[in-house]
């Protein structure tokens, strides 16, 4: 993505990128080594798992679990077209074929299209922090992008209910996690997957209420210092909460 942005700038003729594809797996694992959610997901998932990745970005999460031998199939939702293109290029380099990409945001709204607010500073675009919530990146300039919207209940009925076994749902959507979690309620209660949610501090109390009300037969865990710990009524981080049926 940085390469694509630089190609559009005045620096395009002055910069070259080098990547040793013979060492691509080692390089990729080095990039991922600091991601506690990736590492814990790898520990708790069994082989041949089906996952739903909401907010797929460029596909690192699904690709990592594939390379660890954990993926049977990955259903990936990502609204930004250039991210989906990058994902497909990356997956092809690693011979990852067991996936489906939905190039759309998902929400509880009926609109066919929504605005995704993309933060930027000077000439650098922070695609990974894009949000459906305008004020989410209030400390940065934002640029609205018109993206397709897939209503959650339609997605569940048309696509996700057809998946016989769902082992993990990952929700990383920069502030819109509560509506998606609520929209997936019946699917989660029926399929009983592990649910990983990145929870922002401003949404944390609401998140706890949703878990207590809708998922009271599940346990709540948090990832702290690369370990999975049972939640003990203390907010430790803006990331990494798991709703888990023991």
């Amino acid at each position: 993505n940085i390469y694509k942005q630089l190609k559009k700038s005045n620096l395009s003729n002055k910069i070259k990128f080098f990547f040793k594809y013979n060492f691509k797996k080692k390089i990729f694992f080095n990039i991922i080594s600091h991601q506690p959610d990736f590492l814990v997901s790898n520990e708790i998932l069994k082989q041949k798992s089906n996952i739903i990745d909401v907010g797929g970005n460029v596909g690192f999460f699904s690709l990592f679990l594939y390379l660890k031998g954990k993926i049977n199939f990955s259903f990936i939702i990502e609204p930004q077209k250039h991210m989906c293109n990058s994902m497909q290029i990356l997956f092809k380099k690693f011979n990852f074929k067991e996936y489906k990409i939905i190039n759309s945001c998902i929400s509880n709204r009926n609109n066919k299209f929504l605005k995704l607010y993309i933060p930027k500073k000077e000439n650098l675009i922070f695609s990974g922090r894009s949000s459906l919530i305008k004020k989410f990146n209030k400390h940065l300039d934002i640029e609205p992008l018109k993206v397709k919207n897939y209503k959650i209940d339609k997605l569940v009925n048309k696509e996700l209910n057809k998946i016989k076994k769902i082992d993990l749902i990952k929700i990383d959507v920069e502030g819109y996690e509560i509506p998606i979690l609520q929209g997936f309620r019946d699917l989660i209660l029926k399929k009983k997957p592990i649910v990983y949610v990145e929870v922002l501090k401003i949404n944390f109390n609401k998140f706890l209420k949703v878990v207590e009300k809708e998922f009271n037969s599940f346990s709540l865990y948090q990832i702290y210092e690369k370990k999975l710990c049972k939640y003990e009524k203390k907010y430790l981080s803006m990331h990494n909460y798991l709703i888990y049926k023991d």
Side-chain angles (χ1 to χ4, degrees):
N1 286 311
I2 292 171
Y3 170 74
K4 285 186 174 182
Q5 290 180 46
L6 288 171
K7 285 283 284 185
K8 296 176 184 177
S9 74
N10 296 328
L11 298 171
S12 60
N13 296 323
K14 299 178 182 179
I15 294 177
K16 289 185 178 180
F17 280 77
F18 298 90
F19 189 89
K20 293 184 178 180
Y21 276 102
N22 291 338
F23 301 101
K24 61 182 182 291
K25 191 171 180 179
K26 182 178 179 181
I27 292 169
F28 179 72
F29 283 151
N30 284 341
I31 294 169
I32 296 304
S33 62
H34 71 287
Q35 297 272 57
D37 50 324
F38 285 44
L39 302 176
V40 169
S41 296
N42 177 51
E43 286 179 14
I44 60 179
L45 273 182
K46 298 177 181 178
Q47 290 185 332
K48 301 290 184 181
S49 291
N50 295 323
I51 73 169
I52 299 169
D53 187 353
V54 186
N57 201 274
V58 293
F60 276 11
F61 186 76
S62 293
L63 180 59
F64 172 74
L65 293 174
Y66 162 73
L67 293 173
K68 289 292 187 179
K70 298 300 175 74
I71 294 292
N72 177 61
F73 193 83
S74 183
F75 194 99
I76 305 166
I77 300 158
E78 171 53 52
Q80 298 180 74
K81 183 66 177 176
H82 71 282
M83 292 284 208
C84 295
N85 292 339
S86 297
M87 204 184 306
Q88 289 174 313
I89 293 168
L90 186 66
F91 289 175
K92 188 175 181 180
K93 291 291 183 184
F94 286 89
N95 198 33
F96 179 28
K97 300 175 182 177
E98 293 77 28
Y99 67 90
K100 179 176 181 178
I101 299 171
I102 297 290
N103 180 206
S104 173
C105 69
I106 62 172
S107 78
N108 54 8
R109 304 178 208 173
N110 290 312
N111 312 55
K112 288 187 176 179
F113 297 93
L114 290 176
K115 286 182 180 179
L116 184 71
Y117 296 98
I118 302 174
K120 62 179 185 177
K121 188 174 183 179
E122 297 174 353
N123 291 322
L124 189 60
I125 299 170
F126 300 95
S127 297
R129 287 185 57 83
S130 300
S131 177
L132 290 173
I133 301 170
K134 188 175 182 179
K135 64 182 181 180
F136 177 72
N137 289 293
K138 59 185 178 181
H139 58 291
L140 294 169
D141 296 328
I142 56 169
E143 186 175 289
L145 175 70
K146 185 179 178 182
V147 295
K148 286 185 251 182
N149 176 49
Y150 205 153
K151 198 174 181 195
I152 296 171
D153 57 356
K154 290 182 179 179
L155 173 72
V156 170
N157 291 331
K158 285 185 70 175
E159 301 274 2
L160 305 184
N161 272 335
K162 295 176 183 177
I163 304 173
K164 187 175 181 180
K165 178 176 70 84
I166 299 173
D167 300 283
L168 175 77
I169 297 175
K170 168 185 158 280
I171 302 171
D172 182 358
V173 287
E174 308 301 323
Y176 201 74
E177 55 270 14
I178 303 298
I180 292 178
L181 186 61
Q182 290 173 320
F184 279 171
R185 174 190 176 275
D186 291 345
L187 182 74
I188 293 167
L189 295 177
K190 180 181 177 183
K191 306 282 187 179
K192 297 179 176 58
I194 300 164
V195 184
Y196 161 71
V197 192
E198 180 183 292
V199 184
L200 300 183
K201 195 167 186 178
I202 57 171
N203 290 334
F204 185 63
N205 289 333
K206 190 173 181 181
F207 167 74
L208 286 181
K209 289 178 182 177
V210 169
V211 172
E212 289 169 5
K213 180 182 177 182
E214 308 290 358
F215 307 104
N216 55 21
S217 64
F218 288 63
S219 296
L220 181 62
Y221 292 83
Q222 56 195 147
I223 301 172
Y224 184 64
E225 296 183 349
K226 299 184 180 181
K227 294 180 181 179
L228 191 61
C229 314
K230 212 154 193 179
Y231 172 67
E232 295 182 355
K233 298 186 178 181
K234 184 179 179 182
Y235 185 88
L236 299 176
S237 139
M238 67 172 283
H239 302 291
N240 307 331
Y241 286 82
L242 278 84
I243 304 166
Y244 193 5
K245 185 75 173 178
D246 290 321

